[in-house]
C-alpha cells in the first residue's frame, strides 16, 4: 500500500510515496486533512456540514460525493474508504503535525522542534466554513503551545549542558512565537547570560520592558529585573590566587561550590583570566561550577604562573596539581585533564590515588610523538615542523583551524585566541614546553591507574587523533570510552553534553 504523506505545518502539501499531489480544490484538501487528524471514521453528515454549512443536507452530501471523486482522481487511487454512513482515510498515512505530537509525547524535543517549521496550515483558509476555521484555530494554538513548552525545556537543558549558544537559538525562537510573553524574554536573557553575552542580555531586557510598556501598558515583573541584577556578581571574574611550589608561583582560581571539587588541568596553553573573555568558554566554566567547586590553574611556565628555565615535566605538573589542591583546601577531587594536561593527571593518579574521586581525560594522549607501537601521533620530525608553524603564527590565531575548525572563521574567536596566545606565553618561552610534550611518555603508568576513569575524544579531532583516546581507555583498567561527534579539540566548543554529563557522573559517584 502506497504511503500518503501530509505536510500540515505550513501551507499544506500532499504526496503519495513521495510524488507531489495537486489538490486544487481547497475543500478537497480540507477533507483529507480532517480525516487524517481524526485518525478514524468520521460521519458523512459531520464532514458535509463542516465543509458546506450553507447548503441543505441533500446538496451538502452531493458536493461531498463530487469532492471524494476529485480526491480519487488527483491521487490516482482510492485513499478514502467510504461507507453509507462514514468516511475514513486509509491507515498508511504520515503527517508532520501528528509526528510532532508523538515526538513531544516521547520527550524527543529536538526532533519536535525540528519538525515544527511553520504554524499549522499557515496561509490556508476556508472563510465560508466557520466550524472548520474554528477547528483549525484550536489545533494551531495547541501545537504552538506544545512547541513553546518544548523550547522552554530545550533552553533550560542546553544552559545546564553548557550549550549556551544553542540555548540562545531556541530562546530567540520562543520570543518570536510570543513577543509579549515576559517568560519567553526571561529565557532569552538567561541564555545570553549563560553564553557570556551580557550586552545582548541587557538589550533583550530593554526590549522586554519597551514591549510590555507600549503594547500592554504594564511594568516588567520584578523577577525579570532581578535576573539581570543577579548576573552582575556572576559576571565578575573570579579572584586569582597564588601558591608556591618548588620555588615557583602557580596561579589558580576557585569558582562555585558543591558536593565535590573539580580540578581542571589545561592543555599546552592556558591563562586563568583570559579564558573568561570568550563567551563559550565562560559558559562552559560556569556550567561546570554548578556541578561542584571548580579549581583552575596555570601550569608552571604558562599564563599567570611563573616562567621557568627548565622544561616542565609530567612530574612537575603532578606536583603543581597537588600544591593547588592543598592551597584550595581540597582533600579529594575529580581530575579533568584536557589534551596535553592528561599525562600530568595520569602521573598524579598513580602518585596520589587517595586524592582522586575520579579521572576524566578529554582529547588526551599517552605519548607526545610516534613510536613503532604508538603509530597515531606525529613523528618527532613532523612534530618539530608543526611547532615551527605554530610559533611562526604566534602573533595571530595560530593553528585555530586545527584546534577549533568549527569556529575558525569566527572573527571574535580568532581575536580571542590570538590574544590568549600572546598573554599566555611568548614563542621562545613556549618552545621548551612544546618540546617537553613531544618527549612525554606515560604509557608505563597506565596499568597503574586505579581511579575510576572516563576517556572522551572527538571522532574527527585534528590535533590529537581519536586512536590516542582509544589507546588510553584500553590500557587503563576499567576505563570507559566515549567517542564524541565533531572535529574540535577545544572542549568548550561543539558538542559538550557528553563531557559535562561525564563530570557530573563522577561528582555524583555514578
Amino acid at each position: 500500500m502506497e504511503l500518503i504523506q501530509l505536510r500540515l505545518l505550513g501551507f499544506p502539501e500532499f504526496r503519495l510515496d513521495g510524488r507531489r499531489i495537486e489538490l486544487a480544490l481547497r475543500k478537497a484538501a480540507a477533507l483529507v486533512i480532517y480525516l487524517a487528524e481524526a485518525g478514524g471514521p468520521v460521519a458523512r453528515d459531520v464532514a458535509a456540514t463542516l465543509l458546506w454549512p450553507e447548503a441543505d443536507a441533500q446538496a451538502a452530501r452531493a458536493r461531498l460525493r463530487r469532492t471524494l471523486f476529485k480526491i480519487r482522481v488527483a491521487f490516482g487511487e482510492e485513499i478514502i474508504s467510504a461507507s453509507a454512513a462514514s468516511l475514513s482515510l486509509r491507515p498508511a498515512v504520515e503527517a508532520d503535525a501528528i509526528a510532532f505530537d508523538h515526538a513531544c509525547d516521547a520527550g524527543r524535543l529536538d526532533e519536535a522542534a525540528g519538525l515544527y517549521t511553520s504554524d499549522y496550515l499557515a496561509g490556508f483558509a476556508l472563510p465560508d466554513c466557520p466550524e472548520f476555521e474554528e477547528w483549525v484555530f484550536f489545533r494551531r494554538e495547541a501545537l504552538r503551545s506544545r512547541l513553546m513548552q518544548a523550547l522552554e525545556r530545550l533552553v533550560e537543558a542546553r544552559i545546564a549542558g553548557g550549550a549556551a549558544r544553542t540555548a540562545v537559538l531556541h530562546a530567540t525562537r520562543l520570543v518570536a512565537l510570543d513577543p509579549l510573553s515576559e517568560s519567553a524574554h526571561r529565557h532569552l536573557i538567561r541564555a545570553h547570560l549563560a553564553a557570556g553575552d551580557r550586552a545582548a542580555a541587557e538589550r533583550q531586557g530593554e526590549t522586554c520592558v519597551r514591549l510590555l510598556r507600549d503594547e500592554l501598558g504594564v511594568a516588567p515583573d520584578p523577577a525579570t529585573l532581578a535576573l539581570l541584577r543577579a548576573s552582575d556578581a556572576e559576571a565578575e571574574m573570579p579572584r586569582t590566587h597564588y601558591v608556591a611550589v618548588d620555588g615557583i608561583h602557580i596561579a589558580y582560581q576557585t569558582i562555585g561550590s558543591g558536593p565535590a571539587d573539580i580540578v581542571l588541568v589545561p592543555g599546552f596553553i592556558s591563562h586563568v583570566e583570559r579564558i573568561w573573555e570568550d563567551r563559550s568558554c565562560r559558559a562552559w566554566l560556569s556550567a561546570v561550577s554548578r556541578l561542584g567547586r571548580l579549581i583552575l590553574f596555570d601550569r608552571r611556565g604558562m599564563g599567570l604562573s611563573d616562567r621557568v628555565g627548565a622544561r616542565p615535566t609530567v612530574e612537575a605538573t603532578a606536583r603543581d596539581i597537588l600544591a593547588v589542591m592543598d592551597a584550595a583546601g581540597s582533600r579529594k577531587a575529580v581530575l579533568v585533564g584536557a589534551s596535553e594536561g592528561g599525562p600530568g593527571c595520569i602521573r598524579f593518579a598513580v602518585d596520589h590515588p587517595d586524592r582522586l574521586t575520579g579521572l576524566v581525560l578529554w582529547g588526551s594522549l599517552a605519548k607526545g610523538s610516534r613510536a613503532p607501537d604508538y603509530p597515531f601521533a606525529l613523528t618527532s620530525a613532523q612534530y618539530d615542523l608543526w611547532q615551527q608553524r605554530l610559533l611562526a603564527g604566534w602573533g595571530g590565531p595560530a593553528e585555530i583551524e586545527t584546534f577549533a575548525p568549527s569556529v575558525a572563521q569566527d572573527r571574535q574567536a580568532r581575536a580571542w585566541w590570538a590574544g590568549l596566545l600572546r598573554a599566555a606565553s611568548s614563542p621562545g618561552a613556549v618552545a621548551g614546553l612544546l618540546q617537553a610534550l613531544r618527549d612525554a611518555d606515560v604509557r608505563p603508568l597506565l596499568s597503574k591507574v586505579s581511579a575510576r576513569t572516563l576517556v572522551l575524544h572527538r571522532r574527527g579531532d585534528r590535533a590529537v587523533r581519536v586512536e590516542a583516546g582509544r589507546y588510553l581507555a584500553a590500557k587503563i583498567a576499567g576505563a570507559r570510552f566515549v567517542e564524541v561527534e565533531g572535529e574540535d579539540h577545544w572542549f568548550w566548543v561543539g558538542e559538550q553534553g557528553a563531557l559535562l554529563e561525564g563530570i557530573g557522573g563522577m561528582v555524583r559517584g555514578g
Side-chain angles (χ1 to χ4, degrees), residues 27 49-54 126-134:
K27 291 192 177 180
T49 302
L50 184 74
L51 297 176
W52 295 277
E54 78 291 349
L126 294 178
D128 59 339
C129 302
E131 190 175 338
F132 178 81
E133 287 290 286
E134 182 180 20

Side-chain angles (χ1 to χ4, degrees), residues 334-417:
V334 174
L335 198 55
V336 182
S339 189
E340 296 88 355
C345 291
I346 291 165
R347 176 79 263 179
F348 183 89
V350 172
D351 292 346
H352 306 283
D354 58 318
R355 302 293 294 269
L356 263 65
T357 54
L359 175 63
V360 179
L361 300 172
W362 170 271
S364 195
L365 68 173
K367 190 177 188 302
S369 57
R370 185 177 301 180
D373 56 348
Y374 195 84
F376 26 78
L378 298 176
T379 65
S380 292
Q382 289 171 330
Y383 188 101
D384 290 343
L385 287 173
W386 173 79
Q387 177 182 315
Q388 290 174 21
R389 190 172 73 233
L390 175 72
L391 299 184
W394 199 260
E399 292 297 297
I400 190 172
E401 293 81 7
T402 299
F403 297 119
S406 73
V407 296
Q409 302 309 313
D410 184 312
R411 287 191 297 176
Q412 185 176 17
R414 291 175 68 85
W416 171 79
W417 178 239

Side-chain angles (χ1 to χ4, degrees), residues 119-203:
D119 282 337
Y120 186 74
L121 301 187
F124 182 87
L126 294 178
D128 59 339
C129 302
E131 190 175 338
F132 178 81
E133 287 290 286
E134 182 180 20
W135 173 78
V136 170
F137 172 80
F138 284 110
R139 177 68 169 138
R140 181 181 295 140
E141 290 304 305
L143 289 167
R144 281 173 63 91
S145 177
R146 296 206 78 176
L147 175 63
M148 292 184 72
Q149 292 171 2
L151 290 172
E152 287 175 348
R153 290 171 59 189
L154 283 170
V155 170
E156 296 301 326
R158 295 298 174 267
I159 291 174
R165 290 184 177 179
T166 306
V168 169
L169 295 177
H170 290 312
T172 300
R173 193 176 175 190
L174 188 61
V175 169
L177 283 167
D178 190 356
L180 298 181
S181 167
E182 193 171 352
S183 173
H185 285 281
R186 278 203 295 268
H187 276 91
L188 184 49
I189 291 168
R190 193 176 294 113
H192 280 311
L193 290 172
D197 194 343
R198 180 166 180 78
E202 290 175 343
R203 287 195 300 271

